[in-house]
Structures are given as structure tokens and as C-alpha cells.
Amino acid sequence: MSLRDAIDNFYERLVLDAIDATRQETDTADYLTDVMCVALNRLPARYYRHTIDMMFYLADEELKEMKQKSLAAVKQARDFVSEHQRD
């Protein structure tokens, strides 16, 4: 396993959950990929090595706040990508 594969950004999972919660029938894979990129660029990175460490040390209130920030970032990213789509 490389060093690159040894860490993850916790916000990636939260943004994917927010995308799933807001998914529409007309969403394409390309559109959702752009939404994910824009949303992640609006959020801070929160890296971890082992999922259990992140879940154990993360306070419930902090997780709730991170989920809210992720949902807000996805909603803003959807608007941004929709407004800037290429024909």
C-alpha cells in the first residue's frame, strides 16, 4: 500500500452522502462528479488514516456540523455547476 492510499478525506464521504440525499433523476454522472469537486473545494480537508479513529474522536456535535456544511456545499455546488454547464 502506498502512502497516498493510506489516508482519506472524511468530507468525501459526507459530500457523497449529501449528493445521494439530493439526487435527481436527471442528474448525470458527469454533472455529479463536477458537483462533488466544487463542493469539496469549498470545504476544508479533514484527513484520517483509520475510519475507527475518525469516528471515535469526532464529537457528535462536530459530526452534525460537518454534515450540515457538506449539504450546504453540495446545494451551492449544484447551483454553480448548473449555471456554468457547457453546451
Side-chain angles (χ1 to χ4, degrees):
M1 176 186 289
S2 72
L3 288 175
R4 183 178 183 184
D5 296 330
I7 61 170
D8 288 300
N9 180 356
F10 193 67
Y11 273 106
E12 288 180 16
R13 180 167 33 153
L14 297 178
V15 166
L16 280 172
D17 290 346
I19 286 172
D20 286 342
T22 61
R23 187 169 290 205
Q24 300 171 12
E25 287 184 30
T26 57
D27 292 342
T28 65
D30 284 338
Y31 171 77
L32 292 176
T33 302
D34 289 343
V35 167
M36 185 167 182
C37 289
V38 171
L40 285 169
N41 283 329
R42 294 176 181 218
L43 294 164
R46 187 72 188 263
Y47 292 105
Y48 64 95
R49 184 168 178 195
H50 302 288
T51 306
I52 191 71
D53 292 339
M54 193 66 184
M55 298 308 287
F56 183 75
Y57 292 109
L58 191 62
D60 290 341
E61 189 60 35
E62 188 176 9
L63 178 58
K64 182 180 174 182
E65 183 179 322
M66 290 173 73
K67 287 180 178 181
Q68 290 171 342
K69 286 181 179 179
S70 297
L71 185 57
V74 166
K75 288 179 179 178
Q76 292 171 351
R78 284 181 159 281
D79 291 341
F80 180 86
V81 172
S82 293
E83 292 171 8
H84 294 88
Q85 283 185 332
R86 295 178 228 127
D87 293 329

